[in-house]
Each structure stands twice: as C-alpha cells, then as structure tokens.
Amino acid sequence: MKLSEVKLALNNLKTIGFQLPNGQLVPSHFHVTEVGKITKHFIDCGGTVRNEEVVNFQLWNADDYDHRLHPEKLINIIELSEKVLKIEDLEIEVEYQAETIGKFGLDFDGTNFLLTSKQTDCLAKDQCGIPEEKTKLQFSELSAGNSCAPGSGCC
C-alpha cells in the first residue's frame, strides 16, 4: 500500500485500527511513534547493487489510554513528514513490537489497516543457481487426452 492510499483511507475513517496477520487487533491506544523514509542500499548475493526506499510507520503501545490517535492527527503527521523529509509516494512498511520488532507490509480492508506478513527472498536466483520453482500438478488435473492408454500404440 502506498502513502497516498493510506491518506485517502484515513480521510474516510472516524477511528484507526490495525489488524495483525493472525486477525488480532493492535490495541486501540497505540501511537505512531515514527513516520520516516528508510533507504536500503545493498548488494544482493549475485553482486547487483540495489536501492530500496519505503515509508516506515512505527506502532507502539503505551499505557496512555486517554490520547488515542485520530485519523486527522495521523494525516497531519504524514504531511509534515512528506514536507520535512521529502517523502514521496512510496510503499509503506510497518514496524510493530512482538517478541522482537516485526516488519509488516500494509493493506486496507475498508475498515482496518492490515499488517501483512513479509518474507525474505533471494533477488539473484538466476545467478545463485537456484532452480525456478516448477508448477505442481495433481494427477486429477491431467486430461485423459494426453495420457497413454494400454493397447493404444503410443508407447
């Protein structure tokens, strides 16, 4: 989800909710403690230099139940971040504290922002010798026309 999509969704909400991949909601007294731009400059295992930029939201739970974050306040924080940090319309990455800091993608279901699971991946599979994943078929998916029947002479 891009920053512009988050702002658009916030304009239509009365309250903000974030839902974890397991379906549990982040406690409603969370704070967005950071909105920033993260730049990752790296070399992948195939030797290719890469640059990635994302907008980062950091969610934090406090024992402060009286100061809930409202949509208009988060929009103000985002717009200030865009102006001061020169943030463009980038994809959002969300940090949230679990056993350790978790990184999540972001989606929206019309009511809540959904924290989506992220996975590591090899970006240079062709150079590392990692074979392309083959499509797996079930025997029930194979058409009878492509099979060899006993006595048909195809074998």
Side-chain angles (χ1 to χ4, degrees):
M1 182 170 207
K2 291 194 171 224
L3 191 58
S4 61
E5 296 170 302
V6 170
K7 288 171 37 179
L8 186 62
L10 287 169
N11 278 319
N12 297 313
L13 293 176
K14 291 185 190 319
T15 60
I16 307 171
F18 284 92
Q19 184 175 333
L20 295 162
N22 66 6
Q24 193 174 17
L25 289 174
V26 169
S28 60
H29 57 278
F30 74 91
H31 291 270
V32 174
T33 58
E34 295 177 10
V35 173
K37 178 169 63 172
I38 299 207
T39 302
K40 185 176 175 184
H41 186 202
F42 63 100
I43 297 176
D44 68 24
C45 57
T48 301
V49 176
R50 297 179 185 265
N51 285 295
E52 292 181 359
E53 285 189 333
V54 295
V55 173
N56 184 67
F57 288 2
Q58 185 180 78
L59 305 183
W60 179 65
N61 292 334
D63 292 331
D64 178 5
Y65 297 93
D66 298 323
H67 298 95
R68 306 238 166 129
L69 183 64
H70 295 283
E72 61 276 2
K73 175 71 172 174
L74 183 52
I75 289 171
N76 289 339
I77 294 168
I78 291 169
E79 288 176 347
L80 179 61
S81 300
E82 287 175 312
K83 179 181 169 188
V84 173
L85 302 175
K86 312 259 188 285
I87 294 177
E88 299 167 15
D89 191 22
L90 300 170
E91 288 291 322
I92 306 288
E93 180 177 88
V94 178
E95 292 179 351
Y96 181 67
Q97 185 70 43
E99 295 82 38
T100 187
I101 296 173
K103 285 184 172 185
F104 299 90
L106 192 64
D107 204 350
F108 185 66
D109 68 2
T111 303
N112 292 312
F113 290 100
L114 308 175
L115 301 183
T116 59
S117 297
K118 295 183 78 162
Q119 302 292 318
T120 59
D121 193 11
C122 176
L123 300 177
K125 291 181 183 95
D126 58 331
Q127 296 198 21
C128 290
I130 298 172
E132 244 183 72
E133 193 171 316
K134 295 180 181 175
T135 304
K136 295 178 183 178
L137 297 174
Q138 299 293 325
F139 283 117
S140 62
E141 295 173 346
L142 297 174
S143 69
N146 292 337
S147 63
C148 187
S152 68
C154 67
C155 300

